[in-house]
Amino acid sequence: MSFLEFVDLCSDEEGGDGGVNAVKKEPDLKQVQRKHCVKQEFEEKGSVNGLRNVPSRVDGVDYAVNEARTASRLPPAPVTRQFWKAGNYDDAQASKISLQGGQNHLRVHPKFLHSNATSHKWIFGAIAELLDNAVDEIQNGATYVMVDKISNPRDGTPCLLIQDDGGGMDSESIRHCMSFGFSEKKCKSAIGKYGNGFKTSTMRLGSDVIVFSRHLNERKLTQSVGLLSYTFLREMGHDRIVVPVVDYEFDVPTGIFRASGSYSAEHFSCSLSSLLKWSPYATESELLKQFDDIGPHGTKVIIYNLWFNNDGNLELDFESDPQDILTSGAPKPIQTKLLSKQIAQQHVATRLHYSLRVYSSILYLKIPENFRIILRRRVVEHHNLANDLKFPEFILYKPQAGGNKEAAAVTTIGFLKDAPHVNIHGFSVYHKNRLIMPFWGVVSQTNISGKGVAGVLEANFIEPTHNKQEFEKTSLFQKLEARLKEMTLEYWDYHCVLIGYQPPKKLSTASVADQYRAESNLQPVTINPSSAVKSPKVASFAGVFQKATVPSSVPSREMAGKSGHGLPMKRKGSSVPTNGVAKRKLATRGELGENSIDTRQNEETQPRNATEKQFQDQEARSMKQENKKLRAQCSEYEKNAEELNDKVQQLRIELLEVEHEYERLLVESELLGLAVEDEKT
């Protein structure tokens, strides 16, 4: 029962209003239940929890809803729907609250929910925390996590749904989830660590969240509902965090869920009353109906009263793309003739900041084949950023500090496929399979050296911050940053010629090409003497290599083999300087050996008469027409393939729903079978 309802009851009995607005009268049965709550409260003299022999406080969070012990009531806080203003309300009376029963105990003020959530500057970072919880449940059998928009049945406003089919939570676990600092994740590969992510992420996304969780353990099927409501705490003027939670157990003889006997009937009734008043569901049947699609185990998180930005719009945009969730005010594609701008605005490095589908596709370095992220009822295709690199190299980095001799990271480095047309670069750094810093620019963007160079690595030897969007600025982090900058500049010096840039003055064109060809074991291309090339200088770079990618099994340079893993540790500088005009001319005209082209030979291969030229023009026109036909066919095939993929994904989702329904019915049949056997015996 809420504090306001209790004050109202006392006011009715004394014939006054008690200084608060009267609430609607309830049926006599509910009035009796409420009086039981009040009676029990006063019977528990000096009790901290207000419940006899039932521990309902975890880390300063009350799970009993009764607040009769509060000596003075805080004034209701002004309602605001903007996150960065939600914590601005007067709590001056909080310091005037006296100790109850002479006992001094820990309290967590509701304002902490807001201040704790401000660690998330980026709203997608908050959603990623909830996805992490589902991914950690893979070890407990989770096969999917679903993110979608649903409507609040009370007022029709949009809510954010995040649901998985992991192991779920029992009554104790859901209370730990709602508390601070509790983490039951013992696996070393688990992403969660501090036991704080659920609170920070949900309160950053909206002012209220309701959690439904079903858990099956040793033939005992339980389900729990918990409410963490900033609106409830502020409107009721609570001076501490109060979390209504109700628990149910599956009754085998009757085949239905009944209230759990772990807590008193009064406690259950009061918590349920608060849930029905402040959650999106007004009746107990509506509340329990939310378990229908969970199956025998899993968790459903519904965040409602989502925050608005300063412009008065929802921070999450559900309308612009029905298959995605965007940030409010996401940039729209701009029509431009510049190829570099077209590529940049469609690149993953740009779109991840405002598209949840793009961000979630690269959020994890690896995803098990049997696990799927489903966004707006469509599966998110996993995107490995390492596959976007051309001319890749693999460099082993071992930190020289930290005391962990086994700590190491293999960095995949190369040019982005769209280089040199994009001014995007940087390293995507993961920690325990989770993306922490995407496209981290260790080299200044104003410097042409490093343009288009990107890399991917998993650095488990450094610790991320609580919001998992940065790393702690330790000495190990600073050394890693310095080494990645060194890698970028080294790679650029040796490979920039491959995408059309002139090599640095300290390296000749020939030496760079020869070294790259030698280390990658690539054969030079034999150019047809009859082919017409307008510029011998360009031709000396075009077609130098027969392949554009470096096989992962080929070691690089002199350090291959020295690291013990067949991976280079560090590259030495070139000993071939280029001084003077003569040597530069040699490098561009013929120093590449078999790949050089003589201009005189090109002149001799030009058409010698008009008839031959006319024949070549006619052949070129026919080839262009054939090319257009083939392109049209390819477009049609791609369109059909995309439609088939959508159908396959839809069928997979439907199959998943059928499997869950089958599992639920199977569990119920087994439990009923056990009940029949017990009756026979």
Side-chain angles (χ1 to χ4, degrees), residues 8 62 80 88 104 108 118 169-170 282 285 370 396 500 543 553 662:
D8 185 61
D62 280 329
T80 178
N88 299 332
N104 186 9
V108 179
T118 56
M169 295 178 285
D170 58 17
S285 60
N370 63 338
L396 179 66
S553 60
Y662 171 75

Side-chain angles (χ1 to χ4, degrees), residues 136 139 182-190 192-193 432:
D136 283 340
Q139 60 180 340
F182 285 87
S183 178
E184 299 178 348
K185 299 175 181 179
K186 307 300 182 183
C187 180
K188 292 183 178 180
S189 61
K193 178 179 180 181
K432 290 185 178 180

Side-chain angles (χ1 to χ4, degrees), residues 275-347:
L275 277 167
L276 299 182
K277 181 175 181 179
W278 296 98
S279 78
Y281 308 101
T283 65
E284 187 178 15
S285 60
E286 290 180 11
L287 200 70
L288 296 178
K289 188 174 179 61
Q290 301 307 309
F291 287 97
D292 290 351
D293 62 343
I294 291 182
H297 48 77
T299 301
K300 177 190 291 187
V301 177
I302 298 175
I303 305 169
Y304 57 104
N305 289 333
L306 301 174
W307 296 115
F308 287 78
N309 58 20
N310 292 332
D311 297 329
N313 301 318
L314 281 174
E315 290 186 312
L316 294 175
D317 179 5
F318 299 100
E319 306 301 329
S320 297
D321 189 341
Q323 296 181 341
D324 199 356
I325 298 177
L326 308 177
T327 58
S328 180
K332 297 181 179 179
I334 301 175
Q335 299 296 330
T336 176
K337 295 181 179 179
L338 294 177
L339 179 61
S340 59
K341 288 189 176 181
Q342 291 179 9
I343 296 174
Q345 68 181 6
Q346 293 298 322
H347 199 275

Side-chain angles (χ1 to χ4, degrees), residues 585-651:
K585 289 183 177 179
L586 274 176
T588 57
R589 289 185 59 185
E591 197 172 341
L592 294 180
E594 295 180 4
N595 294 307
S596 61
I597 301 176
D598 193 342
T599 57
R600 290 174 297 178
Q601 189 181 42
N602 294 332
E603 293 173 357
E604 294 174 1
T605 58
Q606 299 297 324
R608 298 182 179 180
N609 52 63
T611 304
E612 185 178 354
K613 183 177 181 180
Q614 184 178 4
F615 175 77
Q616 290 180 352
D617 292 342
Q618 184 178 358
E619 185 179 3
R621 285 194 295 270
S622 62
M623 291 181 66
K624 286 181 179 180
Q625 293 177 356
E626 184 67 21
N627 189 26
K628 288 182 179 179
K629 292 180 181 179
L630 293 174
R631 284 181 180 274
Q633 291 179 0
C634 288
S635 299
E636 186 67 23
Y637 292 148
E638 289 175 355
K639 183 179 179 181
N640 294 338
E642 187 175 354
E643 292 177 355
L644 290 174
N645 285 333
D646 290 340
K647 290 181 180 179
V648 169
Q649 291 174 358
Q650 185 64 29
L651 290 173

Side-chain angles (χ1 to χ4, degrees), residues 1 9 31 77 122 194 201 255 281 303 359 399 457 477 646 658:
M1 187 184 72
L9 269 181
Q31 290 283 5
W122 185 38
Y194 300 107
S201 57
Y281 308 101
I303 305 169
Y359 177 58
L457 69 151
F477 175 81
D646 290 340
V658 173

